[in-house]
Amino acid sequence: MEIFRFICKRTLWSLVALVGLSIIIFTLSRVVPGDPARMALGPRATEEAVEALRIELKLDQPIIYQYFHWIASVLKGDFGLSLMTMRSVTDDIKIYLPATLELVIVAAIIQCVFGILLGVLATASQGSYMDYFLRIIAYIGVVTPSFVFAVLFMLLFGYKLPILPVLGRTSVGLGVQPITGMIVVDSILRCDFPVAVDAFVHLLLPATALAMNGMAQLARITRSSMIDNSERDYIVMETAQGLSKKEIFFKYLLRPSVIPAVSVLALQIGALFANAFLVESIFNWPGLSRYGVEAMLFKDLNAVSAVICIVGFVFIIANIFVDILVAIIDPRVRLKAGE
């Protein structure tokens, strides 16, 4: 019952955040200089054609009316027409979102698993050459943008040592009938394992490049937290009782120490979406982030609003998931939230 109240409270605040996000997105998309109708039709279009498109897009109406008309359509799953592709934005999202989700999910798994493992390894070898080496690697990972890793991986593993594919989602001629749009998942569901392996291999370089920055940050946070917790009274007490270092390390020290790393995981997922557009461009990955940047350059208001709404929704869902995970790891969190 306690965890149920915790989830309801987090969900309610998330809905409030979504409403606020929708207002900010809509307002910003309308105050940016430039006429979307003129940009869509081109400089040679007549004023009559431009005005007709403005009326069709409701751009001639007061901004309050535009917002409520837009939010009503969004709640029905209709984001309007994309001026860039001249297709429904909803159809575009169905095409591009699964590719980015697949990339972000794999990148999040890589950075979470290996980030925590590297932090644990650095703590276990504290003060040794291995610890200093891992800390240097973590600093380099934190300060280096994802697109730099993408270029390095492409040059190293795609051309210098051509052992991994660097372009697209699958090899030429391979594919699978979509179910979710995520090729690895769809091929597994259809028991087409050669395509699943091929798609996963294509994922490795872009997902790893995208994960490097967050992985380094999680490694640093985990190491710092474990070293700080190792000086707590309960660890000193367990040591005095004669428990082995291995048992203390994994049974009593690791669990509370991963809480800070898990807590920032939702922020890391948001950063993955933000950084994905450059990685997608470098690896020719047909994802939503790349589509969103192209829509911004084209001033496609409907597409831009849809992309930001979806990224915001995914970010909020990730926050709820991480909050629940932290509450399960440390019950004190939900007890404090229920006060």
Side-chain angles (χ1 to χ4, degrees):
M1 189 64 183
E2 185 179 292
I3 189 68
F4 179 74
R5 288 199 302 269
F6 179 81
I7 294 172
C8 289
K9 186 176 180 179
R10 285 291 186 267
T11 304
L12 180 61
W13 281 111
S14 298
L15 291 175
V16 174
L18 274 176
V19 173
L21 178 65
S22 69
I23 295 173
I24 293 172
I25 292 169
F26 183 84
T27 303
L28 290 177
S29 66
R30 269 25 182 205
V31 299
V32 174
D35 187 349
R38 170 60 68 184
M39 294 186 67
L41 295 178
R44 296 185 179 181
T46 63
E47 289 298 330
E48 291 78 9
V50 173
E51 187 62 26
L53 183 57
R54 293 188 77 253
I55 293 173
E56 182 182 346
L57 297 175
K58 311 294 183 185
L59 296 176
D60 61 324
Q61 301 292 333
I63 192 169
I64 297 297
Y65 175 85
Q66 291 182 46
Y67 171 75
F68 283 108
H69 179 270
W70 174 75
I71 199 67
S73 299
V74 168
L75 292 175
K76 297 176 185 177
D78 179 15
F79 288 97
L81 181 71
S82 170
L83 302 178
M84 181 175 62
T85 64
M86 298 311 294
R87 295 192 301 254
S88 168
V89 175
T90 304
D91 292 338
D92 285 343
I93 289 170
K94 290 178 182 178
I95 295 172
Y96 296 114
L97 178 59
T100 295
L101 277 180
E102 190 171 46
L103 179 62
V104 167
I105 289 171
V106 174
I109 293 173
I110 290 173
Q111 74 174 25
C112 183
V113 173
F114 288 96
I116 292 176
L117 282 177
L118 289 175
V120 171
L121 181 60
T123 306
S125 57
Q126 184 181 358
S128 67
Y129 288 112
M130 176 62 72
D131 181 26
Y132 289 118
F133 174 74
L134 292 175
R135 289 166 66 185
I136 292 172
I137 295 298
Y139 283 124
I140 293 174
V142 168
V143 301
T144 306
S146 297
F147 73 88
V148 175
F149 285 115
V151 173
L152 290 176
F153 288 169
M154 175 173 282
L155 294 175
L156 180 60
F157 298 107
Y159 297 100
K160 192 68 175 177
L161 300 172
I163 57 177
L164 290 172
V166 295
L167 296 175
R169 300 180 68 189
T170 59
S171 299
V172 177
L174 290 182
V176 66
Q177 190 67 24
I179 300 175
T180 64
M182 293 184 283
I183 297 179
V184 175
V185 176
D186 292 347
S187 54
I188 292 175
L189 292 176
R190 295 190 181 278
C191 298
D192 196 343
F193 297 109
V195 175
V197 172
D198 182 79
F200 181 74
V201 170
H202 277 76
L203 262 171
L204 283 178
L205 285 184
T208 304
L210 190 59
M212 289 296 291
N213 187 270
M215 183 171 64
Q217 292 191 40
L218 289 180
R220 292 185 62 203
I221 291 172
T222 302
R223 179 187 180 277
S224 176
S225 178
M226 292 189 75
I227 292 175
D228 182 62
N229 285 332
S230 65
E231 301 175 356
R232 302 282 183 180
D233 292 340
Y234 68 93
I235 297 296
V236 175
M237 182 187 68
E238 300 296 344
T239 304
Q241 289 179 349
L243 296 179
S244 66
K245 290 184 177 180
K246 183 177 180 181
E247 185 177 3
I248 293 174
F249 193 87
F250 289 102
K251 188 174 181 180
Y252 298 102
L253 181 59
L254 181 58
R255 180 171 176 175
S257 299
V258 299
I259 292 175
V262 173
S263 298
V264 303
L265 186 58
L267 297 176
Q268 295 292 345
I269 291 175
L272 290 177
F273 273 97
N275 296 328
F277 77 94
L278 283 173
V279 174
E280 289 179 351
S281 298
I282 293 170
F283 288 99
N284 194 29
W285 195 266
L288 186 70
S289 296
R290 181 179 172 187
Y291 168 79
V293 172
E294 291 174 353
M296 289 179 188
L297 297 176
F298 200 81
K299 205 177 186 306
D300 188 346
L301 300 183
N302 290 334
V304 171
S305 300
V307 169
I308 299 177
C309 275
I310 290 172
V311 172
F313 178 76
V314 172
F315 179 73
I316 288 173
I317 293 299
N319 266 285
I320 294 175
F321 173 77
V322 169
D323 285 342
I324 295 172
L325 186 59
V326 170
I328 292 173
I329 296 173
D330 188 357
R332 293 173 300 174
V333 173
R334 61 177 182 265
L335 285 173
K336 186 177 180 180
E339 292 179 354

Short mmCIF file of all heavy atoms in Angstrom, two decimals, residues 60-61 63 102 116 136 155 168 189 233 244 255 262 281 286 290 330-331:
data_model
loop_
_atom_site.label_atom_id
_atom_site.label_comp_id
_atom_site.label_asym_id
_atom_site.label_seq_id
_atom_site.Cartn_x
_atom_site.Cartn_y
_atom_site.Cartn_z
N ASP A 60 -3.51 31.91 -37.95
CA ASP A 60 -4.16 33.22 -37.95
C ASP A 60 -5.00 33.44 -36.70
O ASP A 60 -5.53 34.52 -36.48
CB ASP A 60 -5.04 33.37 -39.19
CG ASP A 60 -6.14 32.32 -39.24
OD1 ASP A 60 -5.88 31.16 -38.83
OD2 ASP A 60 -7.26 32.65 -39.69
N GLN A 61 -5.12 32.39 -35.86
CA GLN A 61 -5.94 32.47 -34.66
C GLN A 61 -5.10 32.94 -33.46
O GLN A 61 -3.87 32.87 -33.48
CB GLN A 61 -6.53 31.08 -34.35
CG GLN A 61 -7.41 30.51 -35.46
CD GLN A 61 -8.69 31.30 -35.63
OE1 GLN A 61 -9.19 31.92 -34.68
NE2 GLN A 61 -9.24 31.28 -36.85
N ILE A 63 -3.15 32.91 -29.95
CA ILE A 63 -2.27 31.84 -29.51
C ILE A 63 -2.95 30.91 -28.49
O ILE A 63 -2.68 29.71 -28.44
CB ILE A 63 -0.95 32.42 -28.93
CG1 ILE A 63 0.07 31.30 -28.74
CG2 ILE A 63 -1.22 33.17 -27.63
CD1 ILE A 63 1.46 31.79 -28.45
N GLU A 102 15.47 2.13 -29.59
CA GLU A 102 16.37 0.98 -29.59
C GLU A 102 17.79 1.41 -29.27
O GLU A 102 18.48 0.77 -28.46
CB GLU A 102 16.31 0.30 -30.97
CG GLU A 102 17.01 -1.04 -31.04
CD GLU A 102 16.73 -1.72 -32.36
OE1 GLU A 102 16.83 -1.06 -33.42
OE2 GLU A 102 16.41 -2.93 -32.34
N ILE A 116 28.62 1.17 -13.45
CA ILE A 116 28.64 0.69 -12.07
C ILE A 116 29.77 -0.31 -11.86
O ILE A 116 30.47 -0.29 -10.84
CB ILE A 116 27.28 0.10 -11.69
CG1 ILE A 116 26.22 1.21 -11.64
CG2 ILE A 116 27.34 -0.62 -10.35
CD1 ILE A 116 24.80 0.72 -11.37
N ILE A 136 41.39 8.14 -14.65
CA ILE A 136 41.79 8.94 -15.83
C ILE A 136 40.83 8.69 -16.99
O ILE A 136 40.39 9.62 -17.67
CB ILE A 136 43.23 8.61 -16.22
CG1 ILE A 136 44.20 9.12 -15.15
CG2 ILE A 136 43.57 9.23 -17.58
CD1 ILE A 136 45.63 8.67 -15.35
N LEU A 155 36.22 5.58 -37.27
CA LEU A 155 37.54 5.50 -37.90
C LEU A 155 38.30 4.24 -37.47
O LEU A 155 38.96 3.59 -38.29
CB LEU A 155 38.36 6.75 -37.56
CG LEU A 155 37.86 8.07 -38.13
CD1 LEU A 155 38.71 9.24 -37.62
CD2 LEU A 155 37.87 8.04 -39.65
N GLY A 168 23.86 2.53 -40.90
CA GLY A 168 22.54 1.91 -40.99
C GLY A 168 22.21 1.00 -39.82
O GLY A 168 23.00 0.82 -38.89
N LEU A 189 11.20 -11.71 -31.91
CA LEU A 189 9.80 -12.14 -31.84
C LEU A 189 9.42 -13.02 -33.02
O LEU A 189 8.59 -13.92 -32.89
CB LEU A 189 8.89 -10.91 -31.79
CG LEU A 189 8.95 -10.06 -30.50
CD1 LEU A 189 8.06 -8.83 -30.63
CD2 LEU A 189 8.53 -10.88 -29.29
N ASP A 233 29.40 4.05 10.02
CA ASP A 233 29.49 3.27 11.27
C ASP A 233 29.08 1.82 11.06
O ASP A 233 29.68 0.92 11.66
CB ASP A 233 28.60 3.92 12.34
CG ASP A 233 29.14 5.27 12.79
OD1 ASP A 233 30.34 5.52 12.58
OD2 ASP A 233 28.36 6.07 13.34
N SER A 244 33.97 -11.17 6.36
CA SER A 244 34.98 -11.07 5.31
C SER A 244 34.79 -9.80 4.50
O SER A 244 33.69 -9.27 4.39
CB SER A 244 34.91 -12.29 4.39
OG SER A 244 33.70 -12.29 3.67
N ARG A 255 24.96 -2.15 -2.21
CA ARG A 255 23.55 -1.77 -2.40
C ARG A 255 23.28 -0.30 -2.09
O ARG A 255 22.70 0.41 -2.94
CB ARG A 255 22.66 -2.69 -1.57
CG ARG A 255 21.18 -2.37 -1.71
CD ARG A 255 20.32 -3.42 -1.05
NE ARG A 255 18.90 -3.07 -1.11
CZ ARG A 255 17.92 -3.86 -0.69
NH1 ARG A 255 18.21 -5.04 -0.18
NH2 ARG A 255 16.67 -3.46 -0.78
N VAL A 262 21.95 5.26 -9.57
CA VAL A 262 20.62 4.97 -10.12
C VAL A 262 19.77 6.23 -10.15
O VAL A 262 18.98 6.43 -11.08
CB VAL A 262 19.93 3.86 -9.28
CG1 VAL A 262 18.49 3.66 -9.73
CG2 VAL A 262 20.70 2.55 -9.40
N SER A 281 23.43 11.10 -36.89
CA SER A 281 23.90 11.68 -38.16
C SER A 281 25.19 11.03 -38.62
O SER A 281 25.36 10.74 -39.80
CB SER A 281 24.10 13.20 -38.00
OG SER A 281 22.88 13.84 -37.68
N PRO A 286 18.54 6.28 -38.80
CA PRO A 286 17.28 7.00 -39.07
C PRO A 286 16.41 7.12 -37.83
O PRO A 286 15.37 6.47 -37.70
CB PRO A 286 16.62 6.11 -40.13
CG PRO A 286 17.10 4.73 -39.82
CD PRO A 286 18.50 4.88 -39.30
N ARG A 290 17.51 12.83 -34.90
CA ARG A 290 17.97 13.41 -36.16
C ARG A 290 16.80 14.08 -36.90
O ARG A 290 16.94 15.18 -37.45
CB ARG A 290 18.57 12.30 -37.01
CG ARG A 290 19.11 12.72 -38.36
CD ARG A 290 19.70 11.51 -39.06
NE ARG A 290 20.06 11.79 -40.43
CZ ARG A 290 20.46 10.86 -41.29
NH1 ARG A 290 20.56 9.61 -40.90
NH2 ARG A 290 20.77 11.19 -42.53
N ASP A 330 16.04 1.33 -1.44
CA ASP A 330 16.13 1.99 -0.14
C ASP A 330 14.73 2.39 0.33
O ASP A 330 14.21 3.42 -0.09
CB ASP A 330 17.02 3.23 -0.24
CG ASP A 330 17.31 3.85 1.13
OD1 ASP A 330 16.77 3.34 2.13
OD2 ASP A 330 18.07 4.83 1.19
N PRO A 331 14.07 1.59 1.17
CA PRO A 331 12.70 1.90 1.63
C PRO A 331 12.58 3.24 2.34
O PRO A 331 11.49 3.78 2.43
CB PRO A 331 12.40 0.74 2.59
CG PRO A 331 13.34 -0.36 2.20
CD PRO A 331 14.58 0.34 1.72
#
